[in-house]
Amino acid sequence: MVRPRIYMFILFMFAIGCTGCSRESSYRSEQPVESSATMLKVLYATVEAGSEAVINASENYEQQTGIDVEISTFPYNSLQEKVFTELSRMSSEYDLIAVDTPWMPKIIQYLEPITPYIQQTASTTEIDDFIAKLFLDTSVYDKNMPQRAPLAMDTVNLDSITAAGFDVWSLPIQSNVLTVTYRKDLFENEANRVAFKKRFHRELSIPSTLDEYEDIAKFFTRDNNQDGLIDMYGTTLMAGKHEANFVDFKSFLHIFGGKLFNENLDPVFNSESGVKALETYGSWILKDKVTSPDVLSYTWDEVEIAFGFGQAAMGMNVHDMKLHPKVHGGQVGYFMLPGVEHGGTLVRGPHFGSWGLAINKYSEHKEEAYQLANYLTSADVQRDYLRFRQHVTRKSAYAAAKTVPEESVREYYEVLGRSLNIGVGRPRIKNYDQISETVQTAVQQYLTGKKNARTALDDAAAKVGKLMKESGY
């Protein structure tokens, strides 16, 4: 059986599995290889990348192939340290490795390009079934210039990828994107609908713009008990000094038409668009007060807790959120992160990032490792992942999600799939962590009144420019 080795556990999480569905995958390799491996070792994340679904699929793989699979799971920071350590010492201990997109520019030299393997198993790999935007962002790189963005395409085409000087370095297994979970019961309440229309002269409905979102957030920020205390806020944000803070700002930045870097990798997030994005973000916390003041320390974990216990009507996160049973009558729904109109065009820019399965360059079982990765990301297996609420990466899996019995699950997959098609990935740079932390600090400096938005971003851009030069860009 699969031997999952769990090193740490997340202290707080809501149950995310759905019930009532179970079936094994029917995947078979087009050309099964005569394996020399009796065991494959996988270095993987915990809940961040859907470990439960992957462990279950690996057990099925063992039954089909007779190859033992040992999955060692680590929470994010520990996994990053473990991956970097194993690869830097050229260890062959692990055959297959879960890689988050920000790590790729640093470790690509230690990975095995999988383009030749795909070419040998084209019909079973079916790379054109992956959502093109996330496949290109997750898996397609130029080894010698990892910062180079691949060609845009609506359908993945391996010939076009290789002709442009790129290779495929992983197979996408899990993708996260910033979406909104909301209290559907509050939106559908007739008294709320009447009161909202009277105040804002329009229907209480899913917002498409940030202005509409803010109106709804203002409406639901209220003192329900008339005791001078706010019992519910309109929304949550992730404004703590943390990667979640960077995800929030980055999304607002793109919504307002800005970007982190230009084509020469010069920082440009201190543009007018960047200042507007930060001031808008800050106004929800400081001026309009539609969030709890505690959001200055929130990450995605605290957001999940606050929303789950009914403290907010809407909440942004990179996964779906649930309500605690004590929130009687509560129902959740989901919608895409709203945008801003530019010249009559609605621009959205939700952050997204993916996990890919990559082959360790030093593995003694590369062919077998690819066969396992191919299986774990295959169309049949991804459809089975739906019962675990895995953030699947194939178009066919999202098509299958339309038939899931639970309405809220169908709704989430519909929103997730649409958002992944328009999401904005991270910059492809070796010093990503430094850049993220610098921007996080700038956001916090503004939100805590230490600097105005312009000064905070200008100072951060100057520091980022220096860091980029030091890293050879």
Side-chain angles (χ1 to χ4, degrees):
M1 62 178 290
V2 172
R3 282 171 289 282
R5 299 168 64 191
I6 312 296
Y7 288 85
M8 290 179 63
F9 295 89
I10 301 299
L11 296 179
F12 179 91
M13 62 176 288
F14 290 106
I16 61 173
C18 64
T19 58
C21 49
S22 176
R23 70 181 189 88
E24 287 191 3
S25 160
S26 60
Y27 172 89
R28 283 291 187 274
S29 173
E30 180 184 30
Q31 295 178 317
V33 297
E34 185 175 341
S35 177
S36 63
T38 58
M39 176 182 288
L40 292 173
K41 292 189 175 183
V42 182
L43 196 51
Y44 204 75
T46 50
V47 293
E48 300 97 325
S51 55
E52 182 184 11
V54 173
I55 289 171
N56 178 78
S58 297
E59 291 173 346
N60 293 338
Y61 188 76
E62 282 189 335
Q63 294 172 8
Q64 294 182 22
T65 65
I67 298 175
D68 290 339
V69 179
E70 180 179 280
I71 300 180
S72 298
T73 62
F74 293 79
Y76 190 90
N77 290 337
S78 299
L79 177 64
Q80 182 176 11
E81 182 180 354
K82 180 71 171 174
V83 168
F84 285 22
T85 299
E86 290 292 319
L87 294 179
S88 66
R89 67 186 185 91
M90 297 182 284
S91 168
S92 62
E93 178 73 12
Y94 296 95
D95 304 291
L96 205 57
I97 296 172
V99 177
D100 194 15
T101 47
W103 308 347
M104 187 63 81
K106 276 190 175 181
I107 66 174
I108 194 168
Q109 304 293 333
Y110 303 100
L111 302 178
E112 176 82 358
I114 65 174
T115 307
Y117 301 92
I118 296 174
Q119 291 169 333
Q120 293 169 13
T121 58
S123 64
T124 55
T125 305
E126 298 177 317
I127 63 170
D128 58 347
D129 184 40
F130 286 106
I131 294 175
K133 193 175 186 67
L134 76 84
F135 185 88
L136 294 166
D137 186 74
T138 308
S139 304
V140 178
Y141 285 84
D142 177 343
K143 178 180 179 180
N144 297 317
M145 294 182 64
Q147 69 272 22
R148 190 160 73 98
L151 300 173
M153 54 184 73
D154 295 327
T155 301
V156 180
N157 183 286
L158 189 59
D159 289 339
S160 298
I161 288 170
T162 56
F166 295 92
D167 268 309
V168 178
W169 294 88
S170 69
L171 292 178
I173 192 165
Q174 216 281 17
S175 279
N176 301 314
V177 63
L178 196 64
T179 60
V180 183
T181 305
Y182 76 104
R183 290 284 300 278
K184 182 176 282 192
D185 59 307
L186 298 180
F187 273 57
E188 294 180 350
N189 178 276
E190 186 60 26
N192 286 337
R193 296 178 67 84
V194 170
F196 183 86
K197 188 170 184 179
K198 182 178 181 180
R199 180 174 172 183
F200 294 100
H201 310 292
R202 61 182 178 85
E203 299 295 334
L204 175 56
S205 60
I206 300 302
S208 60
T209 69
L210 286 184
D211 286 343
E212 293 171 351
Y213 187 100
E214 186 179 8
D215 285 345
I216 296 171
K218 289 177 180 177
F219 177 75
F220 281 115
T221 299
R222 55 182 64 170
D223 175 5
N224 292 320
N225 298 313
Q226 305 299 310
D227 57 3
L229 300 174
I230 298 297
D231 299 296
M232 174 181 285
Y233 288 93
T235 188
T236 62
L237 291 172
M238 302 183 289
K241 189 175 179 300
H242 184 272
E243 174 68 7
N245 158 328
F246 183 67
V247 163
D248 266 3
F249 173 72
K250 173 177 168 293
S251 298
F252 272 60
L253 174 66
H254 286 282
I255 288 171
F256 280 97
K259 51 188 177 180
L260 292 166
F261 295 97
N262 63 17
E263 293 74 14
N264 298 319
L265 289 181
D266 300 315
V268 293
F269 56 81
N270 58 330
S271 63
E272 292 302 322
S273 296
V275 173
K276 179 66 173 176
L278 183 54
E279 288 179 340
T280 300
Y281 185 78
S283 71
W284 290 11
I285 303 169
L286 305 173
K287 177 177 173 287
D288 297 317
K289 302 184 187 303
V290 296
T291 70
S292 165
D294 293 338
V295 299
L296 292 179
S297 63
Y298 277 14
T299 71
W300 24 65
D301 295 330
E302 289 77 17
V303 163
E304 184 170 13
I305 295 170
F307 181 86
F309 281 90
Q311 297 170 16
M314 302 180 289
M316 301 178 187
N317 213 325
V318 292
H319 57 79
D320 57 329
M321 297 188 287
K322 306 293 182 295
L323 289 171
H324 192 275
K326 70 173 288 186
V327 184
H328 300 296
Q331 294 179 302
V332 297
Y334 310 96
F335 59 84
M336 295 174 67
L337 186 69
V340 169
E341 288 194 358
H342 299 271
T345 300
L346 182 65
V347 175
R348 301 180 193 256
H351 161 85
F352 87 107
S354 303
W355 290 89
L357 286 177
I359 301 173
N360 179 2
K361 177 180 177 180
Y362 307 104
S363 166
E364 297 175 0
H365 307 290
K366 297 186 184 70
E367 177 68 39
E368 294 91 341
Y370 174 76
Q371 294 292 342
L372 176 58
N374 196 18
Y375 174 85
L376 294 175
T377 60
S378 65
D380 285 348
V381 172
Q382 285 215 7
R383 286 192 288 273
D384 193 50
Y385 285 164
L386 296 176
R387 64 192 176 99
F388 296 96
R389 303 289 285 272
Q390 177 87 342
H391 294 185
V392 288
T393 57
R394 286 184 176 271
K395 291 180 283 188
S396 59
Y398 283 96
K402 295 178 181 179
T403 64
V404 171
E406 294 86 354
E407 180 182 359
S408 66
V409 177
R410 292 198 306 271
E411 184 175 317
Y412 181 66
Y413 275 116
E414 191 272 334
V415 170
L416 179 63
R418 289 172 59 204
S419 299
L420 287 172
N421 275 289
I422 63 168
V424 179
R426 292 178 169 98
R428 299 174 159 223
I429 50 178
K430 293 179 292 185
N431 56 343
Y432 174 84
D433 291 342
Q434 288 181 312
I435 304 311
S436 175
E437 185 175 0
T438 301
V439 175
Q440 294 167 32
T441 299
V443 172
Q444 278 267 299
Q445 287 173 333
Y446 170 64
L447 295 178
T448 55
K450 295 177 181 177
K451 295 180 181 179
N452 62 41
R454 165 61 68 190
T455 301
L457 292 180
D458 280 348
D459 290 350
K463 182 175 181 179
V464 167
K466 182 178 179 181
L467 290 170
M468 294 296 285
K469 289 181 181 179
E470 291 174 352
S471 293
Y473 293 109

